């Protein structure tokens, strides 16, 4: 059974940093692209960042313009873990962050599994 | 970026009736080389993460009831629920994964009339 366990959320002041993690199990983690998708309170879904799985583009990373230069996505295939390092946080980054598994090795595939989400609140 | 626009923003349908949600992309998400539309539909219920319903615009995910169907190509897509059930009350999102950023529509809230 595929499981994605998001963690690392919390309250942080504007300008601060936070590192999210996603522990994956139930599938060959290295083979699949992974993403982070966020949802601000009462709002819709926003894709934040993605990283490809094994294959010709292994480890390629992609970012939404809203987080480029501030967030860094990474994966540790030896520990089946996905990370999102978030720096220079702003109030508008407040959201539930979902870890998401793609159906293929590239981000150019639909998301077939989602974590339960971890809440990030940026406030002074 | 590709902009995804859903219509309507909300709708209410009687139990057993058909529900139709539209999604329009600002540019084509059809990849000519493999003739696939890079378009998915998700269902999100309150307090839960989204759930994949449809991918490649018309392929139903395993375990999804066959009352859910997807259609369309290029820039215009439709999610149809043929006979609305109480458990279908949710917000529905389309998403393109043709190019990054993989943008979502704004969502359509579906209720029972």
């Amino acid at each position: 059974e595929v499981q994605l366990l998001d963690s690392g959320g919390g309250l942080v002041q504007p300008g601060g940093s936070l590192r999210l993690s996603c522990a994956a199990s139930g599938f060959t983690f290295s083979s699949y692209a992974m993403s982070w998708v966020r949802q601000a309170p009462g709002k819709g879904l926003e894709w934040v960042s993605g990283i490809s799985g094994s294959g010709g583009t292994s480890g390629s990373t992609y970012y939404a313009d809203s987080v480029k230069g501030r967030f860094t996505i990474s994966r540790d295939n030896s520990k089946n873990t996905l990370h999102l390092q978030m720096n220079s946080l702003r109030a508008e980054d407040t959201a539930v962050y979902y870890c998401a598994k793609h159906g293929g090795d590239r981000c150019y595939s639909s998301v077939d599994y989602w974590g339960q989400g971890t809440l990030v609140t940026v406030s002074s | 970026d590709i902009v995804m626009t859903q219509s309507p923003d909300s709708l209410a349908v009687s139990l057993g009736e058909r529900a139709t949600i539209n999604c329009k992309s600002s540019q084509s998400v059809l990849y000519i080389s493999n003739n696939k539309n890079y378009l998915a539909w998700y269902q999100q219920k309150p307090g839960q993460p989204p759930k994949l319903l449809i991918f490649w615009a018309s392929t139903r995910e395993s375990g999804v009831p066959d009352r859910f169907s997807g259609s369309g190509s290029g820039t215009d897509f439709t999610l149809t629920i043929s006979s609305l059930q109480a458990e279908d009350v949710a917000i529905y999102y389309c998403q393109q994964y043709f190019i990054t950023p993989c943008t979502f529509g704004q969502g359509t809230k579906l209720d029972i009339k």
Side-chain angles (χ1 to χ4, degrees):
Chain A
E1 179 193 3
V2 171
Q3 289 195 15
L4 301 172
L5 298 177
D6 311 295
S7 63
L11 174 64
V12 61
Q13 292 187 341
S17 299
L18 214 53
R19 189 191 196 205
L20 305 184
S21 297
C22 172
S25 61
F27 63 102
T28 305
F29 178 73
S30 61
S31 297
Y32 292 91
M34 302 291 294
S35 282
W36 290 97
V37 176
R38 69 184 179 185
Q39 187 168 37
K43 302 298 184 182
L45 301 170
E46 180 188 13
W47 177 85
V48 172
S49 180
I51 185 167
S52 62
S54 60
T57 62
S58 179
S60 295
T61 58
Y62 309 87
Y63 298 94
D65 286 346
S66 58
V67 306
K68 201 173 294 182
R70 300 188 298 123
F71 290 11
T72 302
I73 191 171
S74 62
R75 64 191 302 160
D76 184 339
N77 291 333
S78 67
K79 296 182 179 178
N80 291 350
T81 304
L82 178 73
H83 298 288
L84 185 68
Q85 177 66 43
M86 304 186 296
N87 298 331
S88 303
L89 283 162
R90 307 166 180 166
E92 54 265 35
D93 295 319
T94 294
V96 173
Y97 284 72
Y98 293 104
C99 170
K101 170 191 170 294
H102 289 261
D105 64 346
R106 304 187 179 205
C107 290
Y108 308 111
S109 56
S110 56
V111 171
D112 55 3
Y113 289 94
W114 300 72
Q116 285 300 308
T118 186
L119 177 61
V120 172
T121 303
V122 184
S123 175
S124 55
Chain B
D1 297 2
I2 297 179
V3 177
M4 307 298 291
T5 304
Q6 293 181 224
S7 62
D9 289 335
S10 65
L11 78 160
V13 174
S14 300
L15 290 173
E17 296 300 305
R18 178 186 300 261
T20 301
I21 299 171
N22 301 301
C23 175
K24 188 175 183 66
S25 58
S26 60
Q27 66 186 75
S28 176
V29 297
L30 171 64
Y31 189 39
I32 302 297
S33 298
N34 60 12
N35 199 35
K36 288 186 174 182
N37 287 281
Y38 285 55
L39 189 284
W41 289 97
Y42 302 91
Q43 175 194 65
Q44 187 178 32
K45 297 181 180 180
Q48 296 183 18
K51 172 188 173 183
L52 177 64
L53 297 176
I54 303 285
F55 57 100
W56 301 131
S58 60
T59 302
R60 196 179 304 113
E61 172 72 335
S62 176
V64 172
D66 60 7
R67 63 180 180 273
F68 290 92
S69 64
S71 62
S73 184
T75 62
D76 292 280
F77 302 91
T78 300
L79 174 70
T80 301
I81 307 173
S82 60
S83 177
L84 189 71
Q85 305 299 304
E87 60 265 31
D88 300 335
V89 169
I91 299 176
Y92 293 83
Y93 296 93
C94 62
Q95 182 209 23
Q96 66 79 20
Y97 45 94
F98 186 69
I99 59 171
T100 57
C102 304
T103 42
F104 290 88
Q106 80 276 19
T108 295
K109 186 176 182 181
L110 176 59
D111 280 318
I112 304 294
K113 185 185 292 183

